[in-house]
Amino acid sequence: MKHTDFLFLTTCFNRKYKTLFSIKSICDVMPSNCNYKIILIDNNSNDGTCESIEMLNNERISVFKTRNNCYWAEGMVYGFKIIESIYSFKYLVPFNDDIRLKKNWWKIIRDDIKSIDLITQDFVLSGCFCENNGVLSYSGFKSLNKFYPLKLKIQVPKQKIINVDTINFNFVVISKNVIDKFGFLDSVYSHSLADLDYGFKLSRNKIPVYISSEYIGYCDRNPTYQTSGDKSLSFFKRIYKLHSKKEQPFFIRFYFFLKNGNIFGFFTFFIVYLSFLLDEIKK
């Protein structure tokens, strides 16, 4: 089995330039003496993504293709099943292929890991991201109510690592000990909610979940246009969008709420449908 200290994992589908930029922003900054590997799971892109990656001629990057078009969580789980039989590692680093890392991202992450290592060897660290205007976009979350953990508040980096209850997976460092004890993402999920679910699972098992001390890069929030968050759409259209594979299919969403929402999960599951209805009535 091959060993690497940092094993990066991402999925892609027809976002050639974004994928290239994210991967190059890792390779351009990682020290040459650092032992790392980047695994790209391509969901059968037809825009030349794989060919462009191969043209980088970087032996640290390997590309695997899925058998069919997977969404984010499916692709990540598929990729992890491949790499766990090929590589041993110290840290697994899942990341999204649309991130734009800052030039100093490695120093921030390295220093944060050193700080955490003084406390524990079992941890997860999520990098914080903002939009181009500096507004927070992705990070970690604290639960505001212990009886209903799904009432969340996103956290802003504060020049030191912060312990949170769950996280976004835009760029995450997971120690090998955590993978050995708790595995990777739940295979129930196809796209969204898988990252939040993983963070909650670790928090329930007393594994420290942190966010980075500073923003490590840029990543724009997904636009709400033509999604369930688009209030211009009809009530039924919004429900249709919500239950699409890219958002939150009904049974996956129900599973997430019951698993992570305690006794109130069942009741709060229906709140979003009520909010859609109220928006429709206001039109």
Side-chain angles (χ1 to χ4, degrees), residues 141-154 165 200 257 260-261 268:
F141 304 84
K142 285 189 176 182
S143 296
L144 300 181
N145 190 319
K146 65 179 181 179
F147 298 107
Y148 178 50
L150 298 183
K151 188 175 178 60
L152 301 172
K153 182 178 180 180
I154 193 167
D165 295 302
F200 278 129
F257 271 71
N260 300 295
T268 53

Side-chain angles (χ1 to χ4, degrees), residues 7-251:
L7 183 56
F8 293 85
L9 174 66
T10 192
T11 63
C12 70
F13 178 68
N14 284 350
R15 299 199 294 193
K16 180 172 68 174
Y17 296 108
K18 287 185 177 182
T19 302
L20 277 170
F21 193 96
S22 66
I23 289 178
K24 289 185 69 175
S25 69
I26 293 174
C27 297
D28 289 348
V29 175
M30 288 293 281
S32 58
N33 62 347
C34 185
N35 187 10
Y36 73 95
K37 184 76 175 180
I38 300 175
I39 305 298
L40 175 65
I41 306 300
D42 179 67
N43 294 325
N44 296 301
S45 299
N46 56 18
D47 66 344
T49 298
C50 291
E51 293 78 4
S52 297
I53 295 296
E54 290 172 358
M55 288 177 65
L56 296 177
N57 196 29
N58 189 331
E59 63 181 11
R60 297 181 186 269
I61 306 171
S62 294
V63 179
F64 296 89
K65 285 183 174 288
T66 58
R67 295 175 183 174
N68 48 47
N69 184 28
C70 298
Y71 282 78
W72 176 79
E74 294 172 325
M76 282 295 195
V77 171
Y78 177 84
F80 180 74
K81 289 179 179 178
I82 292 174
I83 63 178
E84 68 175 342
S85 62
I86 302 175
Y87 297 98
S88 63
F89 53 87
K90 188 174 182 180
Y91 302 106
L92 178 67
V93 189
F95 69 97
N96 281 1
D97 73 327
D98 61 344
I99 60 173
R100 307 184 301 280
L101 292 170
K102 293 183 175 182
K103 295 294 185 182
N104 65 337
W105 74 266
W106 168 246
K107 181 182 184 304
I108 296 169
I109 292 295
R110 181 196 62 196
D111 291 348
D112 286 349
I113 290 176
K114 287 181 179 178
S115 298
I116 297 169
D117 277 342
L118 297 175
I119 306 170
T120 179
Q121 300 297 308
D122 300 359
F123 69 89
V124 173
L125 171 66
S126 178
C128 297
F129 289 84
C130 62
E131 301 198 24
N132 288 332
N133 59 7
V135 175
L136 172 66
S137 55
Y138 295 98
S139 174
F141 304 84
K142 285 189 176 182
S143 296
L144 300 181
N145 190 319
K146 65 179 181 179
F147 298 107
Y148 178 50
L150 298 183
K151 188 175 178 60
L152 301 172
K153 182 178 180 180
I154 193 167
Q155 299 297 300
V156 177
K158 297 180 179 178
Q159 300 298 313
K160 62 180 181 179
I161 55 172
I162 301 173
N163 198 194
V164 294
D165 295 302
T166 191
I167 48 173
N168 292 134
F169 253 56
N170 296 69
F171 185 101
V172 184
V173 180
I174 309 174
S175 67
K176 181 63 162 57
N177 288 347
V178 170
I179 293 293
D180 288 342
K181 293 176 182 178
F182 300 100
F184 193 44
L185 299 175
D186 192 328
S187 59
V188 166
Y189 299 97
S190 56
H191 189 67
S192 65
L193 300 178
D195 51 355
L196 298 179
D197 176 84
Y198 191 75
F200 278 129
K201 177 174 70 172
L202 298 184
S203 293
R204 285 194 298 270
N205 286 281
K206 309 303 181 184
I207 298 297
V209 179
Y210 299 101
I211 60 170
S212 61
S213 56
E214 301 177 45
Y215 291 116
I216 66 168
Y218 303 94
C219 190
D220 297 330
R221 294 291 304 180
N222 294 322
T224 58
Y225 178 70
Q226 289 296 307
T227 70
S228 63
D230 188 345
K231 294 183 179 182
S232 68
L233 299 179
S234 68
F235 171 75
F236 292 107
K237 187 70 171 180
R238 292 179 75 184
I239 289 181
Y240 174 79
K241 293 284 187 180
L242 176 66
H243 292 159
S244 66
K245 194 173 181 180
K246 192 173 182 179
E247 291 195 33
Q248 301 174 15
F250 181 85
F251 290 108

